[in-house]
Amino acid sequence: MDEQLKNILDNVDSLKIGLDDQFQFHCDMCGKCCKNREDVLLVPRDIYRMARELKMTPQDLVRTYCEVYIGNDSKIPLVRLNPRDNTKRCPFLSNGKCQIHNAKPEICALYPIGRAFLGEPSENKDIQIDAEKIFYIYHDVQCGDRTETHTVRSWLKKIGIPEDDEFFIIWLRTLLELTKFMHEVENYIDPSSDSLEIIWEAILTGLYLAYDPNIDFMPQFKKNTEKLLSLSEQIKTGYKILVKAKPLRPTATSVETLENYRLLVTFDNGEQRIYDVRNLIKGDWFGKLKDPDYFRTVHVAGLSVEWADGQDVCPDDLYDSSVPVKGNSPDSM
């Protein structure tokens, strides 16, 4: 997890600020908040507004200025601005000024205020989000000056974001629903197939790209999210039918680390098997498992096992590629 985000989550109660609470901030256009930034995540409304401002299609905008990656926790495509050069500056920062000021991302417009909702996708079958569950944080910043006093309410009005923001509520609900969906279906999908890539492409297109900048945004957004959530339910139902049609492999109930990057896994049928992780330890992502302390962060998650940052093993491979423990000792394989 990003250190800045971790710090905010660890101190969220002390950072909360009410709609009528005051804070002091005046932007002196120093450009510091536009540098050393790799965390400017875009929401669909950002991409629509930026594409409209630049007279581009959303697809061209994302291709030119953004990076798409799969969230470690959410398991869905996320879009962020792709920083430039060794200063990690925003691609729209030029001569110390924002070139898309009238359509800058909402995370930038809100600065130094942040908007948040704390909740887990698994908390309830039906995810209920309304304006009362959304809160704001103020993180004291090292740029600008303190010559102006604002309330959160007046700040929102100044930047044109409504207090009861229908888009943000639907956006949060859609994110949480799709996260639940991805965590459920990834246990059924063969990682060697193209199924995940197809689902990710559908989510990326439906959430972020399928917009005409010349038509009002909200009707398009509502239609796109309704279609995506309907499609996710159909896919989930289809996988459940397939799973019922074939016998399920045993699933992990506990895991312990052994020497030489091996795992002792206990399955729900009572069987103990040893899984050799060495073939997975390659590249930047799974290469983290070389660190013995990090390797020991492995734990049971869903139908399989995973490590602290999200590296995991396909449930089928965990069982099929593991070796039964012989005798009473895990080392007697």
Side-chain angles (χ1 to χ4, degrees), residues 223-272:
K223 183 178 179 180
N224 288 354
T225 53
E226 287 170 3
K227 281 185 176 180
L228 262 182
L229 294 179
S230 175
L231 178 62
S232 69
E233 284 300 317
Q234 294 175 42
I235 292 173
K236 190 162 56 176
T237 299
Y239 274 114
K240 287 181 177 179
I241 292 172
L242 289 174
V243 167
K244 288 180 180 179
K246 64 178 182 180
L248 286 173
R249 289 171 176 78
T251 58
T253 57
S254 69
V255 60
E256 301 173 29
T257 57
L258 301 174
E259 294 181 352
N260 298 321
Y261 299 105
R262 295 176 302 153
L263 302 176
L264 173 61
V265 185
T266 301
F267 292 87
D268 59 5
N269 63 352
E271 189 177 2
Q272 285 192 314

Side-chain angles (χ1 to χ4, degrees), residues 35 52 58 92 96 100 108 133 185 217 220 225 239 268 292 313:
K35 297 177 182 177
R52 184 167 182 164
F92 297 108
I100 55 165
C108 302
K133 296 181 181 179
V185 301
F217 170 76
Q220 297 183 80
T225 53
Y239 274 114
D268 59 5
V313 180

Side-chain angles (χ1 to χ4, degrees), residues 28-43:
D28 60 9
M29 302 183 71
C30 66
K32 289 181 181 177
C33 64
C34 305
K35 297 177 182 177
N36 296 310
R37 297 295 297 270
E38 299 179 89
D39 59 345
V40 181
L41 293 176
L42 302 181
V43 298

Side-chain angles (χ1 to χ4, degrees), residues 24-290:
Q24 285 75 42
F25 178 73
H26 169 250
C27 176
D28 60 9
M29 302 183 71
C30 66
K32 289 181 181 177
C33 64
C34 305
K35 297 177 182 177
N36 296 310
R37 297 295 297 270
E38 299 179 89
D39 59 345
V40 181
L41 293 176
L42 302 181
V43 298
R45 187 162 62 186
D46 291 331
I47 293 173
Y48 168 87
R49 294 176 67 245
M50 292 161 67
R52 184 167 182 164
E53 177 77 7
L54 296 169
K55 295 180 172 54
M56 302 175 72
T57 65
Q59 293 88 339
D60 287 341
L61 179 113
V62 169
R63 189 181 303 115
T64 305
Y65 298 107
C66 303
E67 176 189 33
V68 178
Y69 66 98
I70 304 303
N72 286 340
D73 297 322
S74 68
K75 309 294 184 183
I76 66 173
L78 302 174
V79 181
R80 68 164 187 156
L81 285 181
N82 199 2
R84 301 290 196 259
D85 63 46
N86 60 353
T87 66
K88 297 180 181 177
R89 65 172 176 83
C90 171
F92 297 108
L93 180 66
S94 178
N95 297 320
K97 295 184 179 180
C98 178
Q99 300 304 299
I100 55 165
H101 181 76
N102 294 330
K104 61 186 177 183
E106 291 178 12
I107 189 174
C108 302
L110 280 164
Y111 186 86
I113 297 297
R115 184 167 55 168
F117 167 85
L118 283 181
E120 293 292 336
S122 58
E123 282 183 354
N124 298 293
K125 185 175 180 181
D126 297 317
I127 299 170
Q128 300 296 326
I129 299 176
D130 54 44
E132 294 181 358
K133 296 181 181 179
I134 295 167
F135 62 90
Y136 299 88
I137 60 173
Y138 171 70
H139 201 217
D140 196 21
V141 294
Q142 304 303 313
C143 63
D145 57 47
R146 306 295 182 269
T147 59
E148 293 181 356
T149 299
H150 311 272
T151 64
V152 174
R153 195 185 304 274
S154 67
W155 192 252
L156 292 175
K157 184 177 181 180
K158 177 181 179 180
I159 62 179
I161 292 180
E163 296 172 26
D164 189 1
D165 189 353
E166 183 184 20
F167 160 75
F168 191 61
I169 293 171
I170 297 175
W171 170 240
L172 286 176
R173 187 181 301 129
T174 302
L175 281 184
L176 292 177
E177 291 286 2
L178 289 176
T179 296
K180 281 180 62 179
F181 161 70
M182 288 305 305
H183 278 267
E184 187 167 352
V185 301
E186 71 172 355
N187 294 314
Y188 306 139
I189 295 176
D190 181 352
S192 65
S193 73
D194 294 330
S195 299
L196 271 179
E197 283 74 13
I198 293 171
I199 292 173
W200 285 332
E201 184 66 29
I203 293 175
L204 174 65
T205 301
L207 268 189
Y208 296 100
L209 305 181
Y211 299 95
D212 182 343
N214 298 310
I215 300 176
D216 286 347
F217 170 76
M218 277 304 294
Q220 297 183 80
F221 176 66
K222 288 180 178 179
K223 183 178 179 180
N224 288 354
T225 53
E226 287 170 3
K227 281 185 176 180
L228 262 182
L229 294 179
S230 175
L231 178 62
S232 69
E233 284 300 317
Q234 294 175 42
I235 292 173
K236 190 162 56 176
T237 299
Y239 274 114
K240 287 181 177 179
I241 292 172
L242 289 174
V243 167
K244 288 180 180 179
K246 64 178 182 180
L248 286 173
R249 289 171 176 78
T251 58
T253 57
S254 69
V255 60
E256 301 173 29
T257 57
L258 301 174
E259 294 181 352
N260 298 321
Y261 299 105
R262 295 176 302 153
L263 302 176
L264 173 61
V265 185
T266 301
F267 292 87
D268 59 5
N269 63 352
E271 189 177 2
Q272 285 192 314
R273 298 172 72 92
I274 293 176
Y275 183 83
D276 193 334
V277 185
R278 285 174 291 187
N279 289 333
L280 290 179
I281 303 177
K282 56 185 74 171
D284 292 337
W285 181 235
F286 278 99
K288 294 182 180 181
L289 274 58
K290 290 180 182 178

